[in-house]
Amino acid sequence: MALTPNLRGSLYMAIGMASFTFNDATVKLVGEHMNMGQVMLVRGLMATTLILLLAWHQGMLISLRHALHRMTILRVVGEVVGTVSFLIALVHVPLALTSAILQALPLAVTLGAAMFLGEPVGWRRWIAIAIGFCGVLIIVRPGYEGVSHYVLLIVVTVIFAAMRDLATRKVPKTIPVLMISALTSVGVSLAGIGLIIPLGGWTPMTLTHTGLLFFASCCVIVAYHFIILAMREGEISFVAPFRYTSLVWAILLGFLFFGDLPDLPMIIGALIVIGSGLYTLYRERVVGRIVPVATIAAASSSPDGV
């Protein structure tokens, strides 16, 4: 039976988010054997090569003079800082916990759009944002003895990922998506170079580690491809909520590879955050905006998606 465009788009989004989560799990595994600066550099070089080849094949390479728009640069800065904070925390924080906090990204983007872009946000969505961030506090549990500062780095990731998504809305449409991805990947690779020595220096790489990082790079490319397909195939407001399937994959992979299981406060907080995000998407569909900012954020990549 043929699938409708919305169902195909939802399937593509689910595949894309699964690919991103497999990337995160793989990077977390490799991060147990080398510092994240080295991981960022090696994986970034692999991803950059793959993205440039794909961009060249599709005729999407343009000159740097045209690609380095101020909003492109701001987007790269947000992605790089978000990726650095995310990867440093990823080694020390359970995979499901990182994913649960990241589900607040659409709420953060809606808040940022209201504060910095002047987009109208009604009282219902303000309440949803407030409730969603209460869910984040339940997950993070500030003041709780077991909370490490690495958890707070995930919150930093959400802030800079929101900045990335807000800047993305202002990037001229004449700049191809793959060119933006290539610039971002280069930025992450350069950040990795700067972090290698401060984080402990270079570690000799085995064939297994190299293969795992190549697999992670391929996961990122697959994720980008399917998310683009999802956004082109179905209605954005229908497809975007399937971003939250990443949490299911994070819980499953966290248990299978690291023996982690979410505790009750994390589950409750995650449900509150996801519920608030879904309600925000619903309200944006009701008010009938053509390109809802929270919907775009809900359909975007993870901060580590480079």
Side-chain angles (χ1 to χ4, degrees):
M1 182 177 65
L3 297 177
T4 65
N6 277 342
L7 288 178
R8 282 197 300 271
S10 301
L11 177 62
Y12 294 154
M13 177 60 73
I15 293 173
M17 299 317 299
S19 298
F20 273 129
T21 311
F22 270 95
N23 161 73
D24 294 343
T26 304
V27 168
K28 184 176 175 68
L29 277 172
V30 177
E32 295 177 350
H33 304 280
M34 66 184 71
N35 72 67
M36 278 301 172
Q38 183 174 343
V39 170
M40 289 171 62
L41 173 60
V42 176
R43 192 198 59 170
L45 290 175
M46 291 177 177
T48 300
T49 302
L50 292 173
I51 292 170
L52 287 175
L53 287 173
L54 187 59
W56 172 77
H57 181 263
Q58 296 189 7
M60 291 186 178
L61 289 178
I62 63 174
S63 68
L64 284 177
R65 184 169 64 87
H66 291 95
L68 291 177
H69 186 272
R70 64 181 182 278
M71 286 295 111
T72 308
I73 296 173
L74 184 61
R75 186 196 186 280
V76 170
V77 171
E79 184 76 63
V80 169
V81 178
T83 298
V84 169
S85 59
F86 179 81
L87 291 181
I88 290 176
L90 186 61
V91 179
H92 306 277
V93 179
L95 191 61
L97 180 56
T98 64
S99 181
I101 298 173
L102 288 176
Q103 303 313 312
L105 178 57
L107 298 173
V109 173
T110 300
L111 177 63
M115 294 176 61
F116 301 110
L117 300 184
E119 295 200 5
V121 174
W123 64 269
R124 294 179 181 86
R125 273 174 288 162
W126 279 118
I127 292 176
I129 291 170
I131 293 174
F133 285 125
C134 286
V136 173
L137 290 177
I138 293 174
I139 297 171
V140 175
R141 283 168 282 179
Y144 179 64
E145 185 178 351
V147 174
S148 80
H149 57 279
Y150 292 110
V151 174
L152 299 180
L153 281 178
I154 305 298
V155 178
V156 172
T157 297
V158 171
I159 294 171
F160 279 91
M163 184 180 84
R164 171 203 67 188
D165 288 348
L166 292 171
T168 301
R169 295 199 63 207
K170 297 297 183 180
V171 173
K173 297 186 183 300
T174 54
I175 303 177
V177 172
L178 286 174
M179 191 68 190
I180 298 172
S181 298
L183 291 173
T184 304
S185 188
V186 170
V188 171
S189 302
L190 293 175
I193 293 175
L195 289 173
I196 289 177
I197 294 179
L199 292 180
W202 184 270
T203 300
M205 294 179 59
T206 66
L207 185 61
T208 299
H209 296 152
T210 305
L212 285 173
L213 288 177
F214 182 74
F215 173 73
S217 301
C218 291
C219 284
V220 169
I221 303 302
V222 169
Y224 270 132
H225 179 72
F226 275 97
I227 286 177
I228 292 171
L229 286 178
M231 302 305 288
R232 289 177 175 174
E233 191 71 26
E235 299 174 17
I236 296 178
S237 58
F238 186 93
V239 169
F242 285 83
R243 180 191 193 280
Y244 295 112
T245 58
S246 62
L247 181 57
V248 177
W249 284 106
I251 292 173
L252 177 61
L253 295 178
F255 174 71
L256 291 177
F257 291 105
F258 309 104
D260 297 326
L261 280 175
D263 58 16
L264 184 59
M266 199 216 84
I267 294 174
I268 293 173
L271 290 175
I272 292 174
V273 172
I274 291 174
S276 300
L278 290 174
Y279 180 76
T280 301
L281 295 174
Y282 164 75
R283 285 301 306 171
E284 292 196 336
R285 186 171 186 176
V286 168
V287 298
R289 277 194 279 165
I290 296 175
V291 185
V293 66
T295 303
I296 295 297
S300 68
S301 65
S302 72
D304 190 30
V306 291

